[in-house]
Amino acid sequence: LRFRRDRWNVVALVAVVVVVFLGFFGGAVVSRLVGHSGNEQFPFAANSVLRPVGPFVRVPAPRHVRYDDYGGLVRPRAGGRTALLILGADGPLGRDELIRLLDGLRVSLSIAVGAALIALLIALPLGCVSGYFGGVTDAVVSQFTEIIMAFPLLLFLVFANTHLQGLRAVGWGWEFPAGVFDEALLIGVFTAFYPTRLIRAQMLTLRNAEFVESARMVGASHWRIMRRHLLPHLAPTLLVWAAVAVGTNILIEVGLSFIGVGVQVSTPTLGSLLTTVWGTVYNPQTYNSHNYTPWQTILPMLTIVVTVAALNRLAEGIRRAMEPKEQR
Amino acid sequence: MRGRYLCWRLVRAVVTLLAMIALTFALYFAIEQHPPMSAFGSGPYTAQQIRAVRRLYFLDGSKIRLYFDYVSQLARGEFPHARTIDSSGRVVDAGSPSLYLAPKLRVTLAMLLGGAILVLLLALPLGALAGSRIGSWTDRCISLGVLILLCMHPMMLGLILRSAGGRLDWLPTSGYCPLSGHATLINSNGQPTGTCGGPLDWFTHLLLPWLTFALLFLALYTRMIRASVAETIHEDFVRTAHAKGASETRVLRSHVLPNASLRVLTMVGMEIGTAIGVCIYIEAAYGMQGLGNAAINTLGGNGDLSLPNTVAIVVLITLIVIIGNLLVDLLYTILDPRIAIRRNEGQTKSLVGGVF
């Protein structure tokens, strides 16, 4: 395979696989290993001004925590049961940063992948029809995508955040926390114009190709031509698009967290882990080393950078492997 | 050909604008079915008061007629006026939103223009450096640094820079100073801390926001210039220039980089909308009262949604995008008259860092 010739492609592929595995199974595995979940709070994991502890710290387990008559914490005797916080705690509540990071990765990935699928569902029919038939259909669809493109997405999101609370209802257990679906829907609908244009451009060049002509001559219907002859040609383009789109969607999710749209606060995402330190648009906070550790910024950022960079590199690798004539 | 193309573009721009206003109307009336009666305290309310509030929130007449009223008023070049309730409980005119939005527009435009210039100032040397040494460590370091910046969120980057700036105390870290006249600076507790104004204050107060803006968009432009430079550096005319004894910088500056200008321009046109979105965050991070701030206050406020203000903001932002794109198109035809004007049909929106 031409794809395997560049070792960075392989590195990127491995990184993406690792990230997906970590996201979907890491949280559960780690919480089984260390014996607590991402929502468990350790009062001793944050000091008196609520600055969380750093990596590799053992703190007394929650059930050994006693309060004195004034509501202050009583430090338990040495030798009691402790819990290991591998990457420290996530904030004043003292939850396990590593587990929350992995869970956040899972939620962010489901949002990103879901949004890409929704965008594809919208783009495929629109792009195919407008590219294949052309003429008036094409003009209408193009105008429509232009409006969506020009629509100030952020304005809508700010607006949706305050006024469309009913959106938050859909959710299903651990795998699919409430808010994931509607966030994916929002991102998907507003990014669908991009694959629509890609598919349309591809269709425009393909519809007059010889094999389409010949299929038409033997009497194949439009539907059959699109499904059997044209769709397979879209696959490489869409694969590249999907890899990039998932990366972009992760970044968009971070952005949405910063305007307070999206999943509930108790559900971690890569974005909401960052907002605990930096605040949202409504209450931006400058860095305060009394209350926060640098880990709270560095760890989610690193996760985002690795994920997005690997996805981008993967897309680049696939594209180069598909188009040998492309200059490097 | 050119005239016809521009006409077609204008028609489409107007259609987009009209659709945008219609969408805003639809969203507004979907929400304001039960307007807040807060102007009259807690109930019970008289029929007159209910009528007044319905009038205040534009729920009393035909929505279609209201839409056409708005559009015709905008076509005459003025924003529809907002309404308010005075002390005697009557609905009165609250003046044009342009009074409220004009200073904010100035802030955002200063951000956009200065930021764009700084992006180009940083991206051109970096892109040229990376592009002329593809595969070297310089290239890798630049690409990696730019990639990390790409994954930053504007607000986080802004706040990081602001925190660092506050620690070093070199530059003012918040607020906006007008270019002419004076403004009162307010600290985070709402207390006035002094006045400022004039070109120097204007510049120093905007420097950090500009830097934030530039670092965010650096990735796209550096990558593009890098690719373009890498393509043209092996062309015959570059070799000729080298053979004639021109220095490396001279070859890059006057023979290689001009070839990247068209692509950069296309990118600028496509990224204007994104840039305005980014402005919302940067303004929030630096406590500047710009259009983004207005949008957040108007749209995300505590249920007090004002139709004229919302429409005015949507129209202003759309106009910035449309006018910016038209300018880019014009520049395009001036820079390179050979090429057909059907640009970016196959061109695509930037791959990563699209919408934020």
Side-chain angles (χ1 to χ4, degrees):
Chain A
L1 242 100
R2 205 179 295 122
F3 179 78
R4 285 190 7 211
R5 225 171 268 166
D6 188 341
R7 76 196 144 106
W8 288 106
N9 289 347
V10 183
V11 171
L13 184 63
V14 171
V16 168
V17 171
V18 167
V19 160
V20 169
F21 259 89
L22 278 181
F24 281 90
F25 305 107
V29 170
V30 172
S31 71
R32 186 65 57 82
L33 284 179
V34 297
H36 54 258
S37 79
N39 280 327
E40 213 160 327
Q41 300 171 8
F42 296 91
F44 279 106
N47 68 9
S48 57
V49 289
L50 301 177
R51 186 180 202 254
V53 296
F56 292 110
V57 172
R58 288 194 159 271
V59 293
R63 59 196 172 88
H64 288 284
V65 170
R66 302 272 181 278
Y67 292 93
D68 62 19
D69 295 347
Y70 306 100
L73 277 170
V74 177
R75 188 153 277 282
R77 269 166 290 144
R81 255 196 75 166
T82 58
L84 175 65
L85 302 182
I86 296 178
L87 288 180
D90 79 319
L93 291 177
R95 291 170 292 196
D96 190 320
E97 173 83 359
L98 176 62
I99 298 176
R100 283 188 82 71
L101 196 61
L102 293 174
D103 281 350
L105 185 60
R106 188 191 78 234
V107 175
S108 284
L109 275 178
S110 1
I111 291 173
V113 173
L117 284 179
I118 289 169
L120 195 62
L121 272 184
I122 299 172
L124 213 48
L126 276 184
C128 282
V129 166
S130 91
Y132 183 78
F133 292 111
V136 180
T137 331
D138 185 26
V140 170
V141 172
S142 296
Q143 180 68 51
F144 179 72
T145 51
E146 191 160 296
I147 290 171
I148 297 285
M149 257 174 90
F151 192 76
L153 168 64
L154 269 175
L155 292 192
F156 177 75
L157 289 173
V158 170
F159 179 87
N161 179 35
T162 18
H163 301 283
L164 304 179
Q165 296 296 335
L167 269 177
R168 300 272 166 88
V170 192
W172 181 56
W174 174 86
E175 297 84 358
F176 203 59
V180 168
F181 177 71
D182 36 70
E183 199 166 351
L185 192 67
L186 276 180
I187 299 176
V189 167
F190 278 98
T191 53
F193 64 85
Y194 181 59
T196 309
R197 300 184 111 203
L198 269 184
I199 295 172
R200 172 176 166 270
Q202 192 91 354
M203 278 293 195
L204 276 179
T205 56
L206 281 178
R207 68 168 172 177
N208 292 324
E210 283 88 359
F211 65 91
V212 178
E213 294 280 319
S214 53
R216 205 172 283 145
M217 254 183 278
V218 295
S221 68
H222 290 314
W223 167 238
R224 192 183 156 84
I225 292 176
M226 272 197 248
R227 197 168 39 113
R228 297 299 299 272
H229 300 276
L230 293 177
L231 270 187
H233 282 271
L234 292 177
T237 322
L238 290 181
L239 201 60
V240 173
W241 166 77
V244 176
V246 170
T248 318
N249 289 347
I250 288 177
L251 292 180
I252 295 179
E253 188 279 319
V254 175
L256 292 196
S257 298
F258 272 103
I259 38 177
V261 183
V263 299
Q264 292 154 357
V265 186
S266 61
T267 313
T269 67
L270 291 178
S272 70
L273 288 173
L274 290 171
T275 55
T276 55
V277 184
W278 299 102
T280 61
V281 182
Y282 302 99
N283 60 334
Q285 298 165 5
T286 46
Y287 186 70
N288 181 343
S289 59
H290 290 294
N291 299 342
Y292 303 109
T293 57
W295 297 110
Q296 287 171 280
T297 307
I298 294 172
L299 292 170
M301 270 312 299
L302 204 62
T303 318
I304 295 171
V305 170
V306 169
T307 314
V308 174
L311 281 166
N312 267 308
R313 179 69 221 193
L314 188 66
E316 186 77 7
I318 298 173
R319 193 177 59 75
R320 280 186 192 160
M322 297 288 180
E323 302 170 18
K325 278 163 288 177
E326 182 80 17
Q327 211 178 13
R328 305 199 92 203
Chain B
M1 173 64 199
R2 184 193 291 189
R4 215 181 127 202
Y5 176 72
L6 281 181
C7 272
W8 179 233
R9 286 283 311 225
L10 269 178
V11 167
R12 282 178 76 151
V14 168
V15 171
T16 308
L17 193 61
L18 290 180
M20 212 74 97
I21 299 172
L23 264 174
T24 315
F25 264 68
L27 284 172
Y28 176 82
F29 285 114
I31 281 164
E32 288 295 8
Q33 286 304 325
H34 304 286
M37 295 290 290
S38 49
F40 295 108
S42 52
Y45 308 107
T46 62
Q48 199 183 1
Q49 285 174 335
I50 292 176
R51 224 178 299 132
V53 167
R54 289 187 67 78
R55 198 169 138 62
L56 174 67
Y57 287 101
F58 299 90
L59 291 167
D60 53 346
S62 154
K63 283 150 201 166
I64 308 284
R65 190 185 300 153
L66 190 66
Y67 177 75
F68 284 110
D69 278 356
Y70 266 38
V71 170
S72 63
Q73 212 168 340
L74 284 169
R76 271 179 273 127
E78 53 184 285
F79 287 119
H81 287 200
R83 292 174 184 174
T84 182
I85 288 189
D86 67 0
S87 52
S88 62
R90 298 233 314 267
V91 175
V92 291
D93 192 292
S96 167
S98 56
L99 290 176
Y100 157 73
L101 288 175
K104 301 189 176 244
L105 182 63
R106 242 171 273 149
V107 176
T108 303
L109 283 182
M111 267 287 311
L112 284 176
L113 290 177
I117 292 171
L118 196 57
V119 174
L120 293 185
L121 283 183
L122 290 175
L124 281 174
L126 282 179
L129 197 63
S132 56
R133 292 167 180 72
I134 289 272
S136 70
W137 281 105
T138 326
D139 174 33
R140 283 198 192 144
C141 288
I142 290 176
S143 300
L144 183 70
V146 147
L147 183 72
I148 292 174
L149 285 174
L150 187 68
C151 297
M152 290 289 231
H153 187 264
M155 208 166 94
M156 216 177 70
L157 186 62
L159 288 168
I160 288 175
L161 284 180
R162 183 178 170 180
S163 308
R167 194 72 55 84
L168 294 173
D169 216 9
W170 287 344
L171 290 170
T173 51
S174 71
Y176 170 81
C177 284
L179 195 52
S180 60
H182 286 276
T184 313
L185 285 179
I186 296 169
N187 69 7
S188 53
N189 301 324
Q191 257 101 47
T193 54
T195 59
C196 73
L200 186 68
D201 274 348
W202 178 79
F203 186 78
T204 51
H205 276 79
L206 276 171
L207 210 51
L208 273 180
W210 281 341
L211 190 63
T212 314
F213 186 91
L215 288 179
L216 282 166
F217 282 95
L218 200 53
L220 301 175
Y221 293 95
T222 308
R223 280 180 167 189
M224 195 177 354
I225 293 168
R226 172 180 175 268
S228 170
V229 167
E231 259 173 40
T232 41
I233 207 150
H234 299 297
E235 298 273 342
D236 288 343
F237 64 88
V238 177
R239 196 147 16 104
T240 314
H242 271 300
K244 281 166 78 178
S247 68
E248 174 103 11
T249 36
R250 199 196 145 91
V251 171
L252 277 178
R253 203 184 52 226
S254 36
H255 298 277
V256 177
L257 280 180
N259 282 295
S261 65
L262 286 179
R263 291 205 209 170
V264 171
L265 203 61
T266 314
M267 195 66 142
V268 170
M270 281 189 291
E271 291 295 315
I272 294 175
T274 314
I276 293 176
V278 167
C279 276
I280 294 187
Y281 294 116
I282 298 183
E283 280 163 15
Y286 289 100
M288 292 167 31
Q289 308 286 316
L291 264 192
N293 179 278
I296 284 173
N297 284 340
T298 310
L299 293 165
N302 305 318
D304 196 22
L305 194 63
S306 150
L307 183 60
N309 284 349
T310 315
V311 169
I313 290 172
V314 169
V315 167
L316 272 184
I317 291 182
T318 316
L319 275 183
I320 293 179
V321 175
I322 289 172
I323 292 174
N325 268 309
L326 281 178
L327 280 181
V328 165
D329 270 4
L330 280 179
L331 267 179
Y332 219 77
T333 54
I334 292 169
L335 270 182
D336 191 352
R338 285 171 309 164
I339 47 165
I341 307 175
R342 301 209 119 234
R343 75 174 175 104
N344 83 41
E345 279 295 340
Q347 276 279 4
T348 47
K349 205 172 152 57
S350 65
L351 290 182
V352 167
V355 194
F356 277 119

